[in-house]
Amino acid sequence: LIIAIGVGTGVGLNALLSKSLGERNKEKVNSVAGNGIFLALVIFAVFLIFGLFGSKWFISLFTNDSQVISMGASYLMICTCLSLGAIGFSIYERFLQATGKTMYSTIAQISGAVINIVFDYIFIFPLNMGVAGAAWATVLGQFVSLIIAMILHYSLNKEINGNIKYIRPNKDIIKGIYSIGI
């Protein structure tokens, strides 16, 4: 669900950003990007609350095995409470794609995937962290992707103004993002 909602939001964001860029409407471009960041923070907050209070309950819907519930809840809690990496990457990846810098979004994604693979081995086997180690490897890989995408966006994307003043909700823009993203 984290990836689905992040990608759905990103798809709508990408389409609206590309349209606004094509119209050369700088103010709308910046507002759309700011709303994308705002939405990422809201989505993260929802998953954080779910992770903190609903992980064990959710896993227990599928099994009565206490060991499975324990491991599953641990994995789910780590992935949801630290979902900002996945959600944020979905947004910043679309900023790069909408402005034609697709190679950079690919570099960010591959970098995170490689980190995930390396840390999976280290955390699961030498550090003997088990399922929790797999979750930590996943979120660390996602944060690496996010950080690289953010660095590339803020250093290369001159088409989008990264001023914090644009990070405010606009009902019409959010509606436009989700009319496409859903």
Side-chain angles (χ1 to χ4, degrees):
L1 283 175
I2 294 167
I3 300 300
I5 293 170
V7 169
T9 303
V11 166
L13 178 66
N14 191 351
L16 201 53
L17 261 178
S18 296
K19 182 178 183 281
S20 301
L21 284 163
E23 295 169 343
R24 299 194 191 289
N25 186 341
K26 279 245 194 251
E27 193 63 27
K28 188 169 183 185
V29 166
N30 299 330
S31 188
V32 170
N35 273 266
I37 295 169
F38 171 78
L39 290 171
L41 295 172
V42 169
I43 294 164
F44 164 65
V46 169
F47 279 108
L48 174 64
I49 292 166
F50 173 79
L52 291 172
F53 302 108
S55 296
K56 188 172 184 178
W57 165 81
F58 183 75
I59 297 297
S60 68
L61 293 174
F62 303 100
T63 184
N64 291 327
D65 184 318
S66 63
Q67 186 177 11
V68 172
I69 292 172
S70 175
M71 289 189 300
S74 173
Y75 185 90
L76 187 59
M77 183 180 285
I78 292 165
C79 287
T80 54
C81 290
L82 298 171
S83 63
L84 185 60
I87 297 161
F89 174 69
S90 291
I91 301 306
Y92 280 90
E93 171 188 37
R94 301 311 170 146
F95 292 166
L96 293 166
Q97 289 177 354
T99 56
K101 296 170 181 69
T102 56
M103 178 59 77
Y104 296 114
S105 68
T106 303
I107 289 168
Q109 188 172 40
I110 290 172
S111 299
V114 168
I115 291 297
N116 185 357
I117 292 166
V118 171
F119 283 166
D120 261 336
Y121 174 77
I122 293 169
F123 291 168
I124 294 170
F125 298 111
L127 295 180
N128 201 28
M129 293 173 67
V131 171
W136 280 105
T138 297
V139 298
L140 287 172
Q142 292 167 342
F143 271 101
V144 166
S145 289
L146 170 60
I147 290 165
I148 291 171
M150 287 177 74
I151 290 168
L152 293 169
H153 166 69
Y154 288 114
S155 63
L156 300 173
N157 258 349
K158 305 305 178 205
E159 299 89 348
I160 300 173
N161 184 335
N163 193 313
I164 196 165
K165 74 179 184 177
Y166 293 108
I167 303 174
R168 64 176 184 262
N170 178 307
K171 179 181 67 161
D172 293 330
I173 290 175
I174 292 170
K175 183 179 174 184
I177 289 170
Y178 284 114
S179 68
I180 299 164
I182 287 176

